[in-house]
Amino acid sequence: MYKANEGRYDHAVVRRAGDSGLQVPALSFGMWHSFGDDANYGDSEKVILKAFDEGIFSFDLAYNYGPTSGAAERMFGDVYRANLKSYRDELVITTKAGFNMWPGPYGNFSSKKTLVNALDGSLKRMGLDYVDIYYSHRFDPNTNLKETANALDGIVRSGKALYIGISNYNSEQTKEITQYFNDLHTPFVVNQASYNMLNREVEDDGLLKTLKDENKALIAYGPLAEGLLTDKYLGGMSDDVKVHWSNQFVIKHGKDELVKKLNELNDIAKNRGQNLAQMSLAWLLHDKTVASVVTGASKVAHLEDNLKALDNLDFTDDELSQIDKIVKE
């Protein structure tokens, strides 16, 4: 029977989401990849439990993670029921609804029917009474935003979620729905968005400032730009490399130019005693508005490597300036 490491919080880095009562580990465990249809249960169980043993108590899921809808939630639910149920009060378990969940008009976006039905399915798969954060996974251009806000507020009042989040909402969309949440007194705490050293859209759009002004938090996904911000491409990038839609613009000047930038960033990382991936994770946390960074790991070794990012979270002004110059030139 699993027994959690008694020292799991001894070196944990915990951050607060804005001025709310929600606290999350600086690194959250994401289950977008490697935990669905083709995953090996034993391997998945091992890395999930290792994460908890190392002070990562937040697990990030979505209805559509699998890639077959519901597959990652089922996998996590199996691990949770077998090992983590007695630790429920320590865990922050989150899920989302809005992308490609089931056939028909209600299997996407953020209508009241979609959000309510999706959460019921997610809770059943994971064996939970509630989630800690429930997200509208994307802005719905065809549904009045008041409906989405009211649906999410009702879900909290039903006891099926403690906090509300949004994901992939831009600055203006976030401002509007925040007004509705404020009127409803909804515990809205975070926007989860794609953010990394190469992808500065949340800065350019003003989303980061909007969240800071509202005392809300950003949770960053895609921190390594789908593997671009690792050692993998320092020697070059082949033509068949695929980049996630949220980061495609980073190769607008060609792959050779990107490889050059990656090597320049890697030089800074080496001077900090980190590899490129570790510096990339640490860099996101230099802004206090970023409460947590979602990173996945299919193997314990990958998880341990990511955790080393927390050993050096301090950046000098010169380092930040150099990084910006490399990325933005």
Side-chain angles (χ1 to χ4, degrees), residues 7-18 20-28 51-52 54-58 90-92 217 285 287-288 290-293 307 310 313:
R8 57 191 174 278
Y9 297 111
D10 289 351
H11 303 289
V13 179
V14 180
R15 293 160 72 101
R16 188 173 294 272
S20 75
L22 179 69
Q23 297 180 73
V24 288
L27 296 183
S28 292
F52 186 53
E54 294 294 333
I56 296 178
F57 54 89
S58 179
E90 298 179 38
L91 302 175
V92 174
L285 294 163
D287 190 318
K288 298 303 181 184
V290 179
S292 187
V293 177
L307 282 165
L310 303 178
L313 294 176

Side-chain angles (χ1 to χ4, degrees), residues 7 15-16 29 66 77 80 96-97 110 142 198 204 208 216 220 258 277 292:
R15 293 160 72 101
R16 188 173 294 272
F29 193 90
Y80 168 78
K96 317 175 197 73
S110 297
N142 299 310
L198 300 175
D204 299 338
L208 204 59
K216 308 302 180 187
L258 176 58
S292 187

